[in-house]
Structure formats: C-alpha cells, structure tokens
Amino acid sequence: MPPLRLLPVAVLVALASRAVAAEPAVARLETGTLDAGAVYSVALPEKWNGRLLLLAHGLRDDSEPLHAHLFPERGFTRALLAEGWIVAITSYRRNGVIVRDAIVDLENLRAHVARTHGRPQRTYLMGDSMGGLIVTRIAERHPELCDGAVGVGSALHMSETGSSMLNRAPQRPLLYLSNQSEIAGPYRYSEAAKDAPFAPVLWIVARDGHVNVNPTERLAALAALVRWVEHGERPLEQRNATHVPSPGPSRARFAPDGSAEGTITFVHPVYRSFLLDLQ
C-alpha cells in the first residue's frame, strides 16, 4: 500500500478527550419495538442540536437474544449527548448475516425518531464490522437515508445470499476507521472508489484487533465526517489516527503477596464482559 498523508488531528483529539471526560449529560433513554420485531433504543439529550447518529451493529450469533443496548453514561454516547446529539440503535429484526433488512430497520428507526422527536437536520451513520458493510451500502444505494457514514472495522468481504452487495460508488461522504491489522478491505474499496462522487477516506489506528478503537478515536472520526458534510472540508487520509489516552489515577489495592484488588465498573447485560478499574 502506498504511503498515506498524515492529517494533524490534535484539535479533534483534544475536543474528543474533553468530551469523554465530561460530566454525564442529562439524558432520557427510550426503548421499544419497530416493525418486523426489531427492538431499539434512543438516547435523548437535554437539548437537541438537530443531529442524529444511527448505530449499525456487527454480526451477532443466532443464539443471542435481540437487544439494542445503549449506555448513555459511558464515554462515546455520553460525549455526544453532552453535545446535543440524539443517538439511536436497533437490534435489526434478526441476528446473523443481515444487510437488506437491516437497512430497512435503520430507516424505520430514523422514521420513528422523526415522527416522535422531529425531523433531524442531519443524519449520520456509524457501523461496526458487518455494520460497516451496511452503512457502506446505504451510502452507495440509499443516499436519501443519511448525510454521511463512518465504518469501523468494516467487514466489506461479507455477503448476503441473493444480494448484489457493493458497487464502489458512494453517493455520500464515507470515512473508514480501521485497525492496522485489517486495512486490506477498506483500502481496496477506497482505491476502487477513488473516482466516485464521494471518494472514501481511510484512517488507520496503529493497533491490532477487530473494531479495537477507543471512544476518542470514534469521536475524532465522526467530527471529521461532520466537517466534511457540513463545511465541505474533506479529511485527508491518515496512516495514524491513533489516540493513546492518558492513564488516570490507579485504583488498585495491592496485597503483601503482590496481588491486586479492584472493582468491576461495568458488566454487559448480554455478553457478561466486564471492565475493571485497575491500571
């Protein structure tokens, strides 16, 4: 892959870092069920700025329950709520590989927000893994549904039976945020789409893994997309869009035998993964 130009993102990172560290925003969480049985959650700020972010989740096993958890008290969503965004997510109507119906479910969610809370001035998408494929297809074939999209760890190699997937001609601004260990797909797509109405932009996080990005990196990518959509400032490609957060004070309690004790600060209600306050 040829060298990519570097874009200084100090301002974006500083703004994102301050947002992540901000006090929890006053928010209201609305939940319910859409057509075809897709469940949803909508996090509402105290004062809406007119922007809506729809989250497109990745592949889920058929054995999992349908869920649409948002965590308004946690970094990424909390920062957007503090800025006045509405943030919404749907489970889709089923698990497994789902693209066409997922697009319908996301449109149903957008329509629900418009009916219930007013028409958004701008609608943005952010999709993880399979969700990155979904938002790419929306940017290509359904530009009326969004103003721009961010794909995180986009699984562009996936396919849905009986569906023509990608035409590599996005009609809306599209930014890919990918770990260094899986940039091949987004890079190939970006090269193939370089003459499209909106040539995609690729940002690389210098970290291995799948969707292994932190809230500040997500916020910086979304902020760059907003500037592209609303001010015409197309972001430059970035070889290093990494943000290494400054460590906070350690809360570990050490015993004489060298072991450490800490507190579980978060447990996911479905996957049972958890976070500790040890550093």
Side-chain angles (χ1 to χ4, degrees), residues 48-278:
W48 189 20
N49 65 11
R51 296 189 182 108
L52 167 65
L53 178 65
L54 299 179
L55 301 176
H57 69 73
L59 181 66
R60 292 176 178 172
D61 191 86
D62 291 337
S63 62
E64 295 177 14
L66 294 181
H67 66 88
H69 290 295
L70 277 177
F71 304 101
E73 75 284 359
R74 303 199 61 80
F76 177 74
T77 304
R78 182 181 68 184
L80 293 178
L81 289 169
E83 293 178 1
W85 289 68
I86 289 179
V87 183
I89 189 171
T90 172
S91 65
Y92 317 140
R93 65 191 64 189
R94 64 178 183 276
N95 291 329
V97 178
I98 174 172
V99 178
R100 289 167 298 179
D101 286 342
I103 292 171
V104 175
D105 294 332
L106 286 165
E107 166 56 10
N108 288 341
L109 179 56
R110 187 180 76 110
H112 166 77
V113 172
R115 285 193 308 269
T116 308
H117 306 289
R119 183 176 179 179
Q121 295 175 13
R122 299 285 185 180
T123 299
Y124 295 93
L125 306 174
M126 179 173 285
D128 289 5
S129 192
M130 181 183 72
L133 171 64
I134 291 167
V135 304
T136 297
R137 180 152 174 169
I138 291 174
E140 287 184 348
R141 299 172 184 267
H142 306 279
E144 72 281 1
L145 303 186
C146 75
D147 294 283
V150 175
V152 183
S154 302
L156 302 181
H157 61 281
M158 294 182 67
S159 62
E160 185 177 38
T161 303
S163 174
S164 175
M165 296 307 293
L166 299 176
N167 61 24
R168 296 173 176 79
Q171 306 296 308
R172 288 285 185 264
L174 181 59
L175 189 154
Y176 288 119
L177 181 67
S178 294
N179 291 103
Q180 63 186 5
S181 55
E182 53 180 20
I183 62 173
Y187 174 73
R188 285 194 297 266
Y189 181 93
S190 298
E191 284 294 293
K194 62 184 178 182
D195 295 324
F198 288 95
V201 171
L202 174 60
W203 282 15
I204 301 171
V205 174
R207 186 184 304 121
D208 290 342
H210 180 51
V211 197
N212 186 18
V213 301
N214 62 42
T216 300
E217 290 157 352
R218 288 178 180 271
L219 289 165
L222 183 59
L225 179 69
V226 169
R227 288 175 56 178
W228 188 1
V229 170
E230 300 182 16
H231 303 288
E233 300 176 17
R234 184 179 189 276
L236 297 178
E237 306 281 343
Q238 283 200 62
R239 290 185 63 185
N240 192 348
T242 313
H243 174 70
V244 180
S246 301
S250 176
R251 299 181 183 277
R253 299 180 293 276
F254 289 93
D257 64 1
S259 63
E261 181 180 312
T263 302
I264 294 175
T265 59
F266 171 77
V267 179
H268 195 284
V270 174
Y271 305 113
R272 313 312 295 171
S273 54
F274 60 88
L275 298 176
L276 294 168
D277 64 359
L278 296 179

